[in-house]
Amino acid sequence: MTTELGRVAGTDSVSVDLAPGGLSLVTVSSSSPVDPAAIAAAIAEAGYELIRQTP
């Protein structure tokens, strides 16, 4: 998943904490705005489902 997310324009770094069989935490850092739809598409391309959490 880090490979797919790393290809999204504007991403500086990607951190994935995979939890087999559970919810995994993905953190994307950027110095400029990143298109949320592109992030969702990259996660889907990696074979995962996005569940959004807002702070």
Side-chain angles (χ1 to χ4, degrees):
M1 178 182 331
T2 55
T3 301
E4 291 84 358
L5 287 167
R7 290 187 206 133
V8 174
T11 58
D12 293 332
S13 67
V14 177
S15 171
V16 179
D17 183 15
L18 288 177
L23 294 177
S24 300
L25 178 63
V26 176
T27 304
V28 177
S29 299
S30 67
S31 55
S32 61
V34 176
D35 181 9
I39 296 292
I43 290 172
E45 180 181 326
Y48 295 90
E49 177 185 357
L50 174 66
I51 299 173
R52 294 176 194 245
Q53 177 183 350
T54 52

